[in-house]
Amino acid sequence: MLKKKKILIRIGSLRHGGAEKVLVNFLKNLPEDKYEVDLLINLYTGMYIKEVPSWVNMYHLLKGEMITTNKPHEIPVKIFRVLYQKMFLWFPFLLYRFVLKNKKYDVEIAAIHGMYRELLSSPQKESKKIIWIQNDIFNLKEFTPDVIRQLFKFDRILVISNKLKEEMQKLAQNDREKHAVIKIFNPIDKADTLQKANTAIDDYPFSNDIPTFITIGTVYPQKGYDRLLDVHKKLIDEGLRHQIIIIGDGFDYVNIHAKLDQLSLQDTVKMLGFRSNPYPYLKKADFYVMSSRHEGFPTIIAEALILNKPIVSTDVSGIRDLLQEGKLGIITPNSEDGIYDGMKKFLTDKSLSAQYEKEIAAADLPFVLQKSVAHLQEIIDGL
């Protein structure tokens, strides 16, 4: 009988993010008889915890809800959490001895780019190291050229777009480093998405007689919801009637809501907050709009394609791969004017959405679960 490969996977939490969802999709489709997987979560919290397969051994550093604000009573808890996690970064042998019970691993995986220090500090020098970069790190302040150079210490660097692959390979200093960078599509469970989209909802905020755009994602400045509201106002003032639904929460929620009120858009924009199942809303809307300033691999775009939605998106990392260079949706310059032109095309040319729906229906979508999981297994087995 073949010896199972022992794998340690590390992630911050299992909250509602793209990287977290991708990891759980991957775990749910790994063959249990081939691998022994330990999943170490910094903060044991999040909606995806219940979806982790029972055969995966789960460990955690801390338990509790994520703290996203700075209320006075929360600050001591935040400080304690940061220091506690830092302790294991400074003295990693404590983590491997007391939390992971001296287990030995063949492969260690950072399931998110922010975990690179934790993996590189591992006392297990024999294990192969993989980092899965789920964001456009070239747009993140903390990822300076020096930090990005450190990533080449990993045996494999998984990236989720051609753009990221090209940028990383430019920085490679030899063939080994160049070959370490591998593009992989995030696995999306098509059947699961379609099933969830068919759930009945009774709080859809609009009637269907006016064109409706939807956008889904954590309310952070990178998502560009501020510029989406400005574009919406401009189009409305020009007499182009339409509505927008924003699904998601986050630290910028209050600011975006205040801007919505300030622009007097209460009747045409609805912020629904977080929804654990946003797909029925996506299914009912007419178009998907992505106004992001930067992204890694926008999982929600893949899901919008599965639901055959016409899409308008800024030209962020991953979007050209997903929309096949514009064949499956409108890719606009990454600016307010770009978003404006893209949305206006759908509102003024009624035949355009049917054209894209036809292209999407006929397309071979490369991010289908089975293909991505098989590719990832191939990478792990090849180490």
Side-chain angles (χ1 to χ4, degrees):
M1 197 174 129
L2 275 177
K3 188 171 158 280
K4 287 186 182 183
K5 228 173 197 173
K6 290 184 169 58
I7 301 173
L8 173 67
I9 301 176
R10 297 203 57 180
I11 196 162
S13 76
L14 286 178
R15 280 183 91 226
H16 43 277
E20 292 81 358
K21 181 172 191 173
V22 161
L23 174 60
V24 169
N25 270 348
F26 168 56
L27 289 172
K28 285 190 331 202
N29 290 276
L30 264 192
E32 183 185 347
D33 57 346
K34 270 188 80 173
Y35 308 103
E36 186 182 314
V37 178
D38 288 357
L39 174 62
L40 173 58
I41 306 170
N42 281 8
L43 184 63
Y44 187 87
T45 188
M47 62 181 271
Y48 293 121
I49 281 177
K50 62 181 184 297
E51 292 193 38
V52 174
S54 57
W55 63 271
V56 172
N57 308 306
M58 289 178 76
Y59 298 90
H60 62 271
L61 302 185
L62 294 154
K63 257 190 165 172
E65 288 306 308
M66 187 82 74
I67 300 171
T68 54
T69 55
N70 280 319
K71 292 173 183 161
H73 70 280
E74 292 172 340
I75 290 170
V77 183
K78 275 179 112 166
I79 292 169
F80 168 75
R81 285 180 179 180
V82 168
L83 290 174
Y84 188 74
Q85 290 176 58
K86 280 269 197 299
M87 175 183 74
F88 291 119
L89 195 53
W90 295 328
F91 307 106
F93 71 92
L94 293 173
L95 174 71
Y96 283 75
R97 185 178 300 169
F98 296 109
V99 179
L100 297 170
K101 317 284 189 243
N102 282 323
K103 278 198 179 176
K104 283 265 179 279
Y105 297 102
D106 300 303
V107 180
E108 296 185 72
I109 302 173
I112 201 160
H113 55 278
M115 282 274 159
Y116 75 95
R117 288 185 208 85
E118 282 81 349
L119 265 282
L120 292 178
S121 73
S122 165
Q124 299 199 9
K125 301 303 172 201
E126 298 303 304
S127 71
K128 299 293 183 184
K129 311 283 192 300
I130 297 175
I131 187 162
W132 203 341
I133 299 173
Q134 298 273 356
N135 212 324
D136 184 356
I137 54 173
F138 293 91
N139 266 307
L140 302 177
K141 280 200 296 283
E142 65 271 30
F143 278 80
T144 60
D146 287 347
V147 168
I148 293 172
R149 273 299 316 149
Q150 284 191 54
L151 302 182
F152 287 100
K153 292 176 184 170
F154 284 86
D155 297 282
R156 294 288 179 270
I157 302 164
L158 309 186
V159 294
I160 36 60
S161 72
N162 284 324
K163 179 173 172 273
L164 271 175
K165 184 179 178 181
E166 284 160 21
E167 296 284 339
M168 286 299 291
Q169 287 187 330
K170 275 183 208 161
L171 298 178
Q173 292 179 353
N174 53 50
D175 281 349
R176 185 208 72 78
E177 290 186 354
K178 210 168 208 160
H179 292 136
V181 185
I182 299 173
K183 182 206 161 185
I184 180 164
F185 274 104
N186 279 346
I188 310 294
D189 191 335
K190 184 177 179 178
D192 183 59
T193 303
L194 291 169
Q195 187 193 334
K196 285 177 176 166
N198 286 328
T199 309
I201 47 167
D202 53 15
D203 63 344
Y204 189 77
F206 292 127
S207 62
N208 286 336
D209 51 350
I210 296 173
T212 302
F213 290 86
I214 190 167
T215 189
I216 300 164
T218 314
V219 188
Y220 290 157
Q222 82 166 65
K223 296 293 181 184
Y225 294 147
D226 53 332
R227 55 188 190 172
L228 179 61
L229 293 182
D230 285 331
V231 166
H232 173 61
K233 173 90 170 112
K234 193 174 170 187
L235 290 166
I236 291 282
D237 289 348
E238 286 176 19
L240 289 165
R241 291 179 74 207
H242 66 289
Q243 305 162 143
I244 295 180
I245 296 170
I246 299 173
I247 293 182
D249 64 7
F251 67 75
D252 216 26
Y253 187 94
V254 175
N255 298 333
I256 298 298
H257 212 291
K259 182 170 180 123
L260 186 159
D261 291 338
Q262 180 199 330
L263 294 173
S264 303
L265 298 173
Q266 296 90 336
D267 292 338
T268 52
V269 180
K270 300 295 178 192
M271 293 182 75
L272 302 187
F274 172 70
R275 291 284 185 278
S276 60
N277 179 11
Y279 307 112
Y281 303 88
L282 175 54
K283 188 181 176 183
K284 279 175 84 80
D286 299 295
F287 315 101
Y288 191 89
V289 59
M290 176 168 277
S291 52
S292 294
R293 292 180 166 90
H294 58 91
E295 285 284 340
F297 176 91
T299 307
I300 191 66
I301 294 290
E303 292 161 334
L305 288 171
I306 285 168
L307 294 175
N308 212 2
K309 287 293 145 189
I311 293 160
V312 53
S313 171
T314 48
D315 192 359
V316 289
S317 175
I319 209 71
R320 290 188 171 274
D321 310 70
L322 283 164
L323 296 185
Q324 298 180 6
E325 297 295 331
K327 186 182 171 193
L328 304 185
I330 298 173
I331 302 171
T332 77
N334 195 343
S335 64
E336 213 164 282
D337 288 345
I339 300 163
Y340 166 83
D341 291 337
M343 289 175 73
K344 190 171 183 176
K345 275 180 189 162
F346 276 136
L347 294 172
T348 52
D349 182 351
K350 301 288 184 251
S351 66
L352 200 55
S353 52
Q355 201 180 307
Y356 281 117
E357 281 167 17
K358 194 175 158 195
E359 288 288 0
I360 296 164
D364 176 27
L365 302 175
F367 46 76
V368 174
L369 190 65
Q370 291 72 15
K371 293 181 191 175
S372 296
V373 172
H375 190 192
L376 199 47
Q377 274 185 245
E378 214 177 279
I379 293 163
I380 291 169
D381 296 345
L383 285 169

